Each structure stands twice: as C-alpha cells, then as structure tokens.
Amino acid sequence: MVVAAALPLVAEYGAAVTTSQIARAAGIGEATIFRAFKDKDEVLDACVAEAVGTDHVLRELATISLDEPLDVRLTEAAEALRAHMDRMGTVVGALHASGHLRPGRGGPDGREGRDGREGRGEGRDGQHGAGTPPDARAQSFLALRDGVVELIEPDRDACRLSPEKVATAFLGLLFTRLHTPAPGAEAPLSPEELIAVLLHGSLKHPGSDR
C-alpha cells in the first residue's frame, strides 16, 4: 500500500518526496510508514524494486486472452511491456536526477544509492542493470520471454521458429524500439508495425501492397 501510493509521487518529485506526502496519498498516518520501513531511503529503494520488477507486467501478460489472434495478443503484450518500461524509466530517472541514485556500482541501470549500497534493478532493455549479477539479468529476461512464449504457444504449429525464438525476437525488436532515436533518425516502429515485421517480414507479398 505504501509503495503503491509512493510510486506516482516519486515519479513526480523524485527523492524530494516527503513521507508525509506518501502517508496522505496512502491514507495512513506518517508513523505507520516507519513501522514497515526504517527511513525514507528504504521506501525509495522499495519503489525502485517495484518499478523495475517483472511481477506486475507478467500478471498483465497473463490476462491477455489466448482466444485473440496472435497479432492482437502480441500487440497487447507490446503495450503492456511499453508501459512497464515507461514506468521504470520515469521512477528511476526521477530518483537519479534528484540524487538518490547515481552512476556507480549496482542499482538500476548500473546505479547505486546515495549510501553506496548495491541496488536491485534493471535497465531500459528490460534486464537488470550492469551492476547486478549476470544470472539476475538472465532471470529477468527469461521471465519476460516465458510470459510472451505463453501467448505464442497456441500458434506453435503455424510458426517456422519455436515460440521461444519468436518471443526472443519480439523482445529484441521491442526493446530496440524503446530506445530514444538519434536526431534525424526514423521514428521507431509502432506496435502494429513491429508485429507485422515479426510475423510477416518486411517484403511485400506479390500482388499486394502490404
């Protein structure tokens, strides 16, 4: 409850958010926060962990109906993953800009907290940051991949590649799309364009304008 109430405030104010603001948003007394957390820094660390964790987005992927066509399923998955990455980037970016996180060892995107403790997090590519162990990065990516595999599985026989390989290609295209393009570069693929390239390639079919 505390972390859920704090997340939008952290995204807006970064480390400048106060525990009294968080308490009001959560509808609790400020003292209640300190029964669960040692100090505000611990609340902020919990917000980072929640923002970069995959549990929420995996639950969203699991709600996508397998009765929908594959392209619809993957488009919904792309939107869920985009929202996850946007939230992660907003929260981590706000804390980094306000000094709670700084470049260094550990932490989201290779950052660490002000007290130098190694953080838990993942970068904009959906994997844990460079300061976390390789197995944590792999586990994060595999969790997302497996969530997408479940959406592809009903169409296994229609795919030239295994659902695992299709899911890996999907995530690779999606995470590349989320990177900020260089000035003058082409706009990133829309979710619909991304799914079209993934499922049908980039060549037009003979006799078709698609």
Side-chain angles (χ1 to χ4, degrees):
M1 177 173 65
V2 172
V3 172
L7 275 171
L9 295 172
V10 170
E12 182 175 359
Y13 299 106
V17 67
T18 66
T19 51
S20 63
Q21 287 176 306
I22 295 171
R24 285 196 299 272
I28 58 176
E30 190 173 2
T32 303
I33 293 177
F34 297 109
R35 296 193 188 104
F37 299 93
K38 181 178 67 175
D39 53 27
K40 188 179 82 170
D41 279 351
E42 197 167 275
V43 176
L44 298 180
D45 288 344
C47 287
V48 172
E50 175 65 19
V52 304
T54 57
D55 288 351
H56 179 77
V57 70
L58 289 175
R59 286 194 297 270
E60 288 197 24
L61 294 180
T63 66
I64 296 174
S65 173
L66 298 181
D67 294 330
E68 297 285 357
L70 179 58
D71 60 339
V72 174
R73 278 175 260 151
L74 291 180
T75 298
E76 291 183 19
E79 292 294 350
L81 287 160
R82 180 198 56 76
H84 167 66
M85 296 301 171
D86 284 350
R87 182 177 71 160
M88 177 172 60
T90 300
V91 170
V92 172
L95 289 175
H96 180 247
S98 57
H100 180 73
L101 300 172
R102 65 169 183 264
R105 305 180 312 276
D109 236 350
R111 302 181 178 94
E112 65 178 4
R114 288 181 297 178
D115 58 2
R117 289 176 296 175
E118 184 171 320
R120 299 156 294 177
E122 50 186 72
R124 288 282 297 178
D125 60 353
Q127 302 181 43
H128 284 258
T132 54
D135 61 338
R137 295 196 296 270
Q139 288 171 10
S140 175
F141 180 82
L142 288 175
L144 295 176
R145 188 206 65 177
D146 289 348
V148 176
V149 166
E150 292 295 321
L151 299 175
I152 300 170
E153 188 64 40
D155 289 89
R156 173 184 286 271
D157 292 342
C159 295
R160 288 186 295 163
L161 300 175
S162 69
E164 290 76 15
K165 288 186 176 181
V166 175
T168 298
F170 168 77
L171 292 173
L173 284 170
L174 180 63
F175 295 148
T176 299
R177 171 185 175 270
L178 291 172
H179 291 166
T180 302
E186 289 287 334
L189 296 175
S190 68
E192 292 78 12
E193 289 172 332
L194 185 151
I195 303 308
V197 169
L198 177 69
L199 298 182
H200 309 297
S202 56
L203 295 178
K204 293 181 179 179
H205 296 291
S208 171
D209 59 357
R210 298 184 61 182

